[in-house]
């Protein structure tokens, strides 16, 4: 088999990270091995995100820049676009950038090997049709994976929530849950090759089982996954606040393998804005949920997403977001300036706020979060944490892993620790990581 090199550029959410893994595994039998150096690639694949305008613009710039590379390089170099921009723009991408060889939408990854063979023979293709809800195999086939410590397992795809600002339901399609037994089979196979941590993945994992072909509810799936022997830790992402059932919350009290952190995006602290966003819950409901979670697992760390500068957001409404942050005390918060997206409801609203105002609000929010995150990290100093060591740290002589909350912990140690869960005494808390030493 002649070896060709594929360079994958991935942006966006964990769905895309997972899809990139799937792509790499799928193209291996065609002789493609992954490289981290774009200069030596025979195939450059962009796995793209369109959730905010910025991500899309920088991708398009990247593709535009490849025109020269393609005409200069002797021998063949192929350019592929996958993911949410591919889904959104389809044919248009080829029209604007004729040096692109193939465009593969979010429901069409299973066609990629075939498309690539066509591309190698000079035939351009665009595939962006949505799959039927029952197309289980095309959608969810397990990824062939090598031994590793932590692995994503997709449990559902798509989103039916149509938050007014969000393009995801348009580019990922309707919610579909993977068959219960297929999820468990994949987790068991991963456990058998030494995987210790499973991250269950979906746009709205906690509405698993509800839509389309019915499956048991998410909390039942979660219990079953944590019962698989060899699996030591389970996480899940992303959850929607409106679907955090009491049964799911009690899992945090009852399942020791379920890690003590939860990503639960609020998006805003103002009820008027939440309504305009079509989020389906109020500030009070959100805080009530956080209260229940803390009761179930007192040290649970909550992370979230916030949007500032939604159309019509007043200073007082923005301050409600800051006060929500004070009440929740987020461990980490991903925050974004509202970005109008084509086809969404909010794109029709009057986006009347000045850019400076939006940026100033974002700055204030991030400053507050910086303080909260630092206090959380400093709070670890002197404590002992169970750390699952995942690999070598950047610094020589150190290994790196995560504690229960997901925070990265670096410690002095040899590679023999990789895959083990060890007790680590925390010595320092930095902005994004902790430093520790093996408990003696
Ligand atoms: N399903 C997940 C993730 C959606 S996209 C969820 O519901 O949380 C990730 C984040 O991007 C969202 O949580 C939101 O904070 C942000 N986002 C989505 N659309 C946006 C837009 N138009 N402008 C700014 N931020 C946006
Ligand atoms: Fe977008 Fe809302 Fe769906 Fe999340 S729940 S993907 S924010 S529409
Ligand atoms: Fe982006 Fe698509 Fe994920 S738009 S956030 S990569 S679902």
């Amino acid at each position: 088999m002649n070896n060709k090199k594929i360079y994958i550029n991935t942006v966006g959410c964990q769905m895309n990270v997972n899809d990139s893994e799937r792509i790499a595994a799928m193209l291996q039998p065609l002789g493609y091995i992954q490289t981290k150096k774009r200069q030596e690639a025979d195939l450059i694949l962009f796995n793209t995100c369109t959730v905010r305008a910025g991500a899309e613009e920088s991708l398009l710039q990247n593709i535009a820049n490849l025109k020269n590379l393609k005409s200069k390089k002797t021998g063949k170099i192929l350019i592929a676009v996958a993911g949410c921009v591919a889904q959104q723009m389809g044919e248009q991408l080829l029209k604007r950038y004729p040096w692109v060889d193939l465009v593969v939408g979010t429901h069409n990854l299973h066609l990629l090997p075939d498309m690539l063979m066509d591309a190698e023979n000079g035939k351009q293709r665009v595939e962006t049709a949505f799959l039927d809800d029952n197309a289980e195999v095309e959608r969810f086939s397990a990824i062939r994976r090598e031994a590793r410590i932590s692995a994503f397992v997709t449990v559902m795809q798509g989103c039916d929530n149509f938050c007014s600002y969000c393009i995801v339901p348009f580019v990922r399609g309707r919610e579909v849950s993977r068959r219960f037994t297929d999820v468990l089979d994949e987790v068991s196979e991963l456990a058998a090759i030494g995987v210790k941590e499973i991250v269950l993945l979906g746009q709205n994992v906690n509405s698993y089982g509800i839509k389309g072909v019915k499956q048991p509810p998410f909390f039942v799936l979660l219990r079953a996954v944590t019962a698989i022997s060899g699996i030591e830790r389970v996480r899940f992402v992303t959850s929607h606040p409106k679907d955090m059932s009491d049964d799911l919350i009690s899992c945090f009290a009852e399942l020791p393998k379920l890690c003590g952190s939860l990503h639960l995006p609020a998006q805003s602290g103002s009820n008027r804005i939440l309504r305009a966003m079509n989020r389906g819950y109020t500030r009070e409901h959100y805080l009530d949920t956080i209260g229940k979670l803390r009761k179930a697992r007192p040290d649970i760390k909550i992370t979230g997403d916030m949007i500032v500068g939604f159309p019509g957001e007043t200073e007082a409404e923005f301050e409600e977001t800051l006060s929500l942050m004070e009440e929740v005390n987020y461990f980490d918060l991903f925050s974004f300036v509202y970005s109008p997206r084509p086809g969404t409801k909010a794109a029709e609203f009057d986006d009347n706020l000045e850019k400076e105002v939006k940026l100033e609000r974002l700055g204030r929010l991030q400053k507050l979060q910086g303080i909260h995150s630092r206090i959380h990290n400093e709070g670890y100093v002197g404590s002992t944490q169970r750390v699952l060591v995942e690999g070598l740290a950047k610094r020589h002589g150190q290994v790196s892993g995560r504690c229960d909350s997901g925070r990265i912990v670096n410690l002095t140690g040899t590679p023999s620790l990789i895959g083990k869960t060890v007790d680590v005494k925390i010595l320092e808390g930095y902005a994004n990581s902790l430093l520790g030493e093996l408990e003696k």
Side-chain angles (χ1 to χ4, degrees), residues 187-199:
V187 175
S188 300
E189 280 161 26
L190 290 168
I193 63 165
V195 168
K196 305 271 188 272
E197 179 187 80
I198 296 292
V199 185

Side-chain angles (χ1 to χ4, degrees), residues 324-339:
L324 182 80
M325 286 169 62
E326 294 284 8
E327 290 196 48
V328 175
N329 187 18
Y330 288 103
F331 190 42
D332 268 328
L333 192 63
F334 301 93
S335 48
F336 314 100
V337 164
Y338 166 72
S339 167

Side-chain angles (χ1 to χ4, degrees), residues 11-16 48-51 84 167-168 171-172 203:
V11 292
C13 61
Q14 286 97 336
M15 291 284 173
N16 269 13
T48 62
C49 175
T50 184
V51 82
C84 296
I167 199 167
V168 171
V171 288
R172 290 277 170 173
Q203 283 303 336

Side-chain angles (χ1 to χ4, degrees), residues 269 283 306 308 317-335 359-377 407 431:
R283 174 193 177 101
M306 263 335 154
V308 304
E317 286 164 343
F318 169 66
E319 284 171 13
E320 289 186 74
T321 293
L322 297 182
S323 77
L324 182 80
M325 286 169 62
E326 294 284 8
E327 290 196 48
V328 175
N329 187 18
Y330 288 103
F331 190 42
D332 268 328
L333 192 63
F334 301 93
S335 48
L359 289 175
E360 189 267 341
R361 287 181 188 168
L362 186 69
R364 272 153 72 198
L365 182 153
Q366 291 183 338
K367 196 165 162 214
L368 178 63
Q369 185 53 42
I371 296 169
H372 288 173
S373 291
R374 191 154 36 78
I375 295 173
H376 277 289
N377 284 355
R407 192 57 99 220

Side-chain angles (χ1 to χ4, degrees), residues 159 161-163 165-169 203-204 240 267 279:
C159 179
N161 288 324
F162 291 92
C163 301
Y165 51 82
C166 186
I167 199 167
V168 171
Q203 283 303 336
N204 295 286
H240 195 298
Q267 312 295 2
R279 286 292 285 175

